[in-house]
Amino acid sequence: MMLRLGFAWSTSSATTKHIAQARLFTGSLLRKNSPRTLYNNRCSGLPKGLQFGQKSVLASTKLFWDSSRSSGVIFFSMASGSDGPDRSKTPKHTNRLSKEKSSYLLQHAHNPVDWYPWGQEAFDKAKSEDKPIFLSVGYSTCHWCHVMERESFEDEEIGKILSKNFVCIKVDREERPDVDKVYMTFVQATSGGGGWPMSVWLTPELKPFIGGTYFPPRDSGRRSGLKTVLLRIIEQWQSNRETLESSGERVLETLRKGTEISASPGETLPSGPDVANRCYQQLAHSYEEEYGGFREAPKFPSPVNLMFLMSFWAVNRASSEGAEALRMVLHTLRMMALGGIHDHVAQGFHRYSTDSSWHVPHFEKMLYDQGQLSVAYITAYQVSGERLFADVARDVLLYVSRDLSDMSGGFYSAEDADSFPTVESIEKREGAFCVWTAGEIRELLPDIVIYDPHGELQGQNVLIVRYSVELTAAHFGISVDRLSELLSDARAKLAEVRRARPPPHLDTKMLASWNGLMLSGFARVGAVLGDKALLERAERAACFLQEHLWDEEGQRILHSCYRGDNMEVEQAASPIAGFLDDYTFVVCGLLDLFEATQRVHWLQWAEELQLRQDQLFWDSQGSGYFCSDPSDPTLLLALKQDQDGAEPSANSVSAMNLLRLSHLTGRQDWIQRPQQLLTAFSDRLIKVPVALPDMVRSVMAQHYTLKQIVICGQPDAEDTASLISCVNSLFLPHKVLMLADGNTEGFLYQRLPILSTLVSQDGKATAYVCENFACALPVTCPQELRRLLLE
């Protein structure tokens, strides 16, 4: 599937010239009577122009996705590499990928292509045979990756061309995000677009010279097919190799300079309010009024934007801009919750909407979305008190607990969009697990009125909420309670039928980074709702990370582990060392867990991981953190991610982690480090802060300073719990919360000597609200504490 990403680098005239030359040269190889043949389909999904009906009510649930108004949904079958209906047959081909753990690599284990995983064996072969490398990057739930596999990598003729003339390397982008980032940067620069599957041709020294995304197998109209492209590259490699290599080298050198991010001597941190106001204005300019969100279509949830807007409101409550920011975010979250991007039968959120109204999703579900959206929805509940938002946050965690959870406590990565419509089906279809015909609905729910005057429910339909329960109950002349009962029964019946359908592929890879995001979700929601079960699930996730993804001997995080055939957790033969995202998101999750449970060992581990992160990734010359080990010789670019996208930039999250840790541990060096980090990104923050909304939140925290909220009391006492509950009920983006239990030999008292001076008043649990540990008068009443916190 195609996804346009935004990379930022300064483009001098020399930069522009070299990239333009590379584009022209690449075009000459890929062109078939057209200026550019890189296939830039924007995200997989449904054909444009689908028409939708106006009214179709299943109580308050609308059924959508009317294929009767168009030529119908165009489905592409997923290549059956390892899980098709004929999987019991002995495969005709088996390559090295059969020994891998990654679901994506295993899907290609029986292609007629001599695939290698990323590693020294492949590099050595390319050098010894002096062959170019064909690098193919994707992930297991990527729809267009499945399409390209079925069309090209299962094609015997194309397989022979690839295997004879190239060293073919297959990479799971979720398993090796470092490799993906380097070559995606090249593809972005030379083609003007990017996405997955990504196809890049490299020299034996791993230097890219041509790149693209999806290619059809053979020429189609004015678009060159993969076979044609391969033959042209082979010819050019033999007759014009020097030009190929020099063109790629020029672009690489330009990218090395253009992607460099560092603080200039004497440069200072930009103004927090100025940067925040500019970010707000840029988001407001792209806001879509009718259904919320920040573009027309396809429309992504973008939790980083939503969290920024709520933080902006928190410090601008009295202004019209603050009120507008809150209106935008709450409307967006409501529309998403009511739309088809939200799974009303099996819970959780799909990856994005193919239309502007959140109705028809691309059906894959990603763990990182669930983690971030659960936090966004519970934050909306904190700021609004609207129960819908709390219910949706719980709904997300129910889905993750049921469908994405391993027995070990870890969380799986994703569910695919494609599945077999029936047990007898021989090809997969996108959304088959989730959609319904009108006939199915009538058969399953015969006693519920279906209002369908125009026959709009022909074809396949996605469930959405159209009207409120109050309006719907009034329309049908029944009570709200009775309607809620009917809807609950209807959803249960639909869920039972869906469970009998062939399920979509589940990627059971467990990533430290995404588990960290999900840990934050369970911790934050559990704290706000006072739900002990959710907090216990969060602690199980933290224990999983410590047991399975922390290498005690090597003192390092491991990036991934896998569910084995016998349901046990397995590790790869050569475990992948953790990247910056892994450390950053796990530290954030542990800090959220510490504040939710006040169990100090989680704070201690967060401190340990932060120290290790500093050693491995900090740029001591230019400030900021590299995305991966800068000393790795196989990575040609040392990158610092400068965009908060589907996931926040690890540098954005690190800035806030360091600030929180400095106030929780008393480490003075961590007071200065986030300022240095943010200064390195100051040019980007000043010009296009909308590219880094999560980092803007950290700039705001630097400006407004964090409040230290100290609760002095006994851990299990009711009055202590009341004060903590009061704090957790409010959205306070610039605070840390700690419990002073009187144990002066404990970690917090040893690190923060001021805690010994803060004591309970009159034998009651007492709250102190401090800034830079200068504290306001103590309070013992939750109402007084609430007033103090909102001043």
Side-chain angles (χ1 to χ4, degrees):
M1 64 197 64
M2 288 299 307
L3 177 63
R4 290 196 182 275
L5 307 174
F7 287 83
W9 45 74
S10 58
T11 51
S12 64
S13 58
T15 302
T16 306
K17 177 181 177 183
H18 289 152
I19 290 179
Q21 289 172 345
R23 285 185 179 178
L24 287 171
F25 187 74
T26 300
S28 70
L29 288 177
L30 306 182
R31 185 180 298 116
K32 182 173 185 282
N33 305 319
S34 65
R36 184 192 298 168
T37 59
L38 291 179
Y39 185 69
N40 279 327
N41 180 56
R42 295 177 64 83
C43 311
S44 70
L46 307 174
K48 295 184 182 296
L50 284 178
Q51 300 293 313
F52 299 108
Q54 297 174 351
K55 293 181 181 178
S56 294
V57 181
L58 166 58
S60 69
T61 303
K62 178 153 185 183
L63 303 171
F64 243 87
W65 189 5
D66 179 5
S67 62
S68 66
R69 302 289 189 94
S70 73
S71 59
V73 178
I74 299 174
F75 291 110
F76 295 90
S77 66
M78 172 180 169
S80 58
S82 60
D83 61 345
D86 60 346
R87 54 191 174 272
S88 61
K89 296 180 181 178
T90 302
K92 183 177 178 181
H93 303 279
T94 299
N95 55 54
R96 292 165 191 79
L97 300 186
S98 63
K99 299 177 182 178
E100 296 298 307
K101 300 292 185 184
S102 157
S103 295
Y104 178 63
L105 299 189
L106 289 171
Q107 286 170 354
H108 293 260
H110 301 295
N111 296 161
V113 178
D114 189 17
W115 289 117
Y116 284 77
W118 180 266
Q120 199 60 48
E121 183 184 7
F123 309 155
D124 291 344
K125 179 180 174 66
K127 288 180 179 178
S128 66
E129 299 183 9
D130 198 30
K131 286 182 178 178
I133 292 169
F134 171 60
L135 175 66
S136 176
V137 182
Y139 57 103
S140 77
T141 59
C142 164
H143 176 79
W144 284 98
C145 300
H146 302 331
V147 174
M148 192 165 177
E149 182 195 6
R150 176 179 62 83
E151 293 178 340
S152 295
F153 301 144
E154 291 191 341
D155 183 287
E156 295 280 350
E157 183 184 15
I158 290 176
K160 287 177 182 177
I161 295 171
L162 281 168
S163 301
K164 179 180 178 182
N165 299 282
F166 301 89
V167 175
C168 302
I169 299 179
K170 178 62 75 171
V171 166
D172 180 343
R173 68 170 295 263
E174 295 168 358
E175 195 177 57
R176 292 303 305 256
D178 54 339
V179 176
D180 177 63
K181 285 185 176 80
V182 167
Y183 294 105
M184 182 62 74
T185 302
F186 173 82
V187 171
Q188 285 274 340
T190 55
S191 74
W196 302 278
M198 177 168 64
S199 306
V200 192
W201 286 265
L202 322 176
T203 69
E205 294 74 34
L206 307 181
K207 296 178 180 179
F209 57 88
I210 292 175
T213 53
Y214 165 87
F215 290 92
R218 287 168 177 81
D219 298 352
S220 176
R222 299 175 67 188
R223 191 171 69 214
S224 294
L226 181 61
K227 178 184 173 182
T228 298
V229 171
L230 292 172
L231 295 176
R232 288 177 182 166
I233 291 173
I234 293 166
E235 188 273 327
Q236 288 290 317
W237 183 256
Q238 294 169 350
S239 65
N240 200 20
R241 177 172 173 174
E242 184 176 341
T243 305
L244 276 180
E245 293 179 328
S246 62
S247 173
E249 182 57 50
R250 284 198 304 272
V251 175
L252 262 184
E253 186 56 36
T254 301
L255 291 178
R256 286 191 189 101
K257 296 175 181 176
T259 57
E260 184 179 354
I261 295 172
S262 62
S264 302
E267 195 170 13
T268 58
L269 187 65
S271 161
D274 289 350
V275 169
N277 283 325
R278 185 165 178 78
C279 187
Y280 162 74
Q281 294 295 341
Q282 290 176 344
L283 279 174
H285 181 73
S286 64
Y287 178 67
E288 197 271 296
E289 283 286 345
E290 186 172 5
Y291 292 101
F294 302 95
R295 62 184 294 173
E296 289 299 321
K299 190 175 279 187
F300 289 78
S302 301
V304 290
N305 292 339
L306 306 177
M307 292 303 296
F308 163 75
L309 288 172
M310 287 187 279
S311 296
F312 182 82
W313 165 82
V315 296
N316 294 279
R317 298 177 192 228
S319 72
S320 59
E321 291 84 0
E324 179 62 13
L326 185 61
R327 186 191 70 80
M328 289 194 297
V329 69
L330 296 183
H331 181 60
T332 298
L333 287 168
R334 286 190 199 101
M335 291 299 98
M336 285 169 50
L338 301 180
I341 192 173
H342 181 204
D343 189 338
H344 297 280
V345 175
Q347 296 82 43
F349 280 85
H350 300 292
R351 183 162 164 253
Y352 64 85
S353 174
T354 63
D355 54 53
S356 63
S357 52
W358 305 109
H359 284 174
V360 180
H362 174 52
F363 290 91
E364 68 183 311
K365 292 180 179 177
M366 310 301 295
L367 182 64
Y368 60 75
D369 281 328
Q370 316 309 319
Q372 294 177 88
L373 285 171
S374 59
V375 172
Y377 273 97
I378 205 61
T379 304
Y381 172 65
Q382 287 177 302
V383 303
S384 71
E386 193 173 324
R387 196 71 210 176
L388 167 70
F389 298 126
D391 290 343
V392 174
R394 278 191 185 276
D395 172 279
V396 171
L397 300 188
L398 172 61
Y399 161 70
V400 173
S401 296
R402 185 191 64 235
D403 292 349
L404 295 183
S405 287
D406 188 77
M407 292 185 297
S408 65
F411 301 112
Y412 301 139
S413 294
E415 274 193 315
D416 205 344
D418 301 0
S419 61
F420 294 107
T422 67
V423 176
E424 294 80 20
S425 300
I426 60 172
E427 65 177 39
K428 294 188 175 187
R429 293 184 176 182
E430 184 174 357
F433 187 66
C434 301
V435 297
W436 306 87
T437 64
E440 287 175 315
I441 297 294
R442 291 190 178 95
E443 183 179 347
L444 289 168
L445 309 173
D447 299 327
I448 294 179
V449 177
I450 299 182
Y451 182 56
D452 183 23
H454 306 298
E456 295 162 351
L457 297 183
Q458 298 175 30
Q460 302 294 327
N461 304 278
V462 174
L463 304 182
I464 70 166
V465 175
R466 173 57 76 196
Y467 305 112
S468 70
V469 288
E470 291 80 9
L471 281 174
T472 306
H475 178 82
F476 289 104
I478 58 178
S479 70
V480 169
D481 287 346
R482 176 56 180 153
L483 175 60
S484 298
E485 202 176 286
L486 284 169
L487 286 172
S488 179
D489 290 345
R491 288 191 181 97
K493 289 178 181 178
L494 295 173
E496 184 178 354
V497 171
R498 259 177 56 168
R499 281 194 293 272
R501 293 175 175 176
H505 162 71
L506 178 67
D507 188 335
T508 56
K509 174 173 68 262
M510 291 170 272
L511 303 175
S513 54
W514 295 1
N515 272 255
L517 291 173
M518 202 67 243
L519 171 57
S520 285
F522 276 93
R524 294 278 293 274
V525 177
V528 173
L529 300 181
D531 190 317
K532 291 183 178 179
L534 295 180
L535 294 178
E536 288 171 1
R537 181 65 186 90
E539 291 206 279
R540 282 188 62 217
C543 290
F544 158 81
L545 286 162
Q546 205 159 31
E547 181 179 354
H548 295 288
L549 289 172
W550 173 243
D551 175 6
E552 182 67 35
E553 182 179 349
Q555 288 292 289
R556 62 174 185 166
I557 284 182
L558 302 177
H559 175 61
S560 56
C561 60
Y562 311 83
R563 188 182 77 184
D565 294 337
N566 297 317
M567 304 299 287
E568 76 284 7
V569 177
E570 292 183 347
Q571 189 49 261
S574 299
I576 301 169
F579 306 105
L580 177 62
D581 285 4
D582 297 305
Y583 286 84
T584 299
F585 297 164
V586 171
V587 168
C588 182
L590 291 172
L591 292 176
D592 289 335
L593 183 58
F594 163 70
E595 292 201 40
T597 64
Q598 292 300 313
R599 294 193 171 125
V600 174
H601 59 276
W602 299 126
L603 173 60
Q604 291 174 296
W605 193 33
E607 180 187 39
E608 183 181 355
L609 293 181
Q610 185 63 55
L611 286 167
R612 193 71 177 117
Q613 175 184 320
D614 291 351
Q615 293 169 357
L616 292 170
F617 304 108
W618 180 254
D619 179 3
S620 57
Q621 276 78 45
S623 298
Y625 293 98
F626 292 110
C627 294
S628 54
D629 182 358
S631 65
D632 187 339
T634 67
L635 299 178
L636 304 179
L637 299 174
L639 298 173
K640 298 174 188 173
Q641 188 176 351
D642 61 352
Q643 179 169 347
D644 294 321
E647 303 164 54
S649 159
N651 273 286
S652 299
V653 178
S654 289
M656 187 63 81
N657 287 350
L658 289 164
L659 200 58
R660 294 170 75 183
L661 279 164
S662 69
H663 286 74
L664 290 168
T665 66
R667 293 186 65 100
Q668 294 301 303
D669 54 331
W670 284 343
I671 294 176
Q672 299 301 319
R673 179 150 289 185
Q675 296 177 9
Q676 298 165 348
L677 185 160
L678 295 169
T679 301
F681 289 84
S682 57
D683 183 66
R684 186 85 153 142
L685 287 166
I686 292 169
K687 293 178 180 176
V688 277
V690 72
L692 285 165
D694 211 60
M695 190 173 286
V696 175
R697 294 176 64 210
S698 297
V699 177
M700 293 166 66
Q702 285 283 340
H703 175 84
Y704 293 104
T705 72
L706 295 193
K707 292 179 179 178
Q708 300 92 24
I709 304 171
V710 182
I711 309 295
C712 296
Q714 294 304 306
D716 298 323
E718 187 175 331
D719 55 353
T720 301
S722 295
L723 292 175
I724 290 176
S725 178
C726 172
V727 176
N728 288 332
S729 71
L730 301 172
F731 175 52
L732 305 166
H734 310 135
K735 72 98 172 79
V736 292
L737 171 65
M738 64 192 85
L739 174 65
D741 59 4
N743 177 16
T744 57
E745 300 300 316
F747 177 83
L748 285 175
Y749 280 84
Q750 293 296 307
R751 290 301 190 86
L752 304 171
I754 192 175
L755 294 184
S756 297
T757 69
L758 306 180
V759 295
S760 299
Q761 303 290 304
D762 302 323
K764 298 178 181 178
T766 304
Y768 292 84
V769 179
C770 316
E771 288 190 22
N772 297 318
F773 289 102
C775 303
L777 292 174
V779 296
T780 58
C781 171
Q783 289 75 20
E784 292 179 21
L785 176 58
R786 180 183 178 87
R787 177 187 56 78
L788 192 60
L789 292 172
L790 291 177
E791 283 182 352

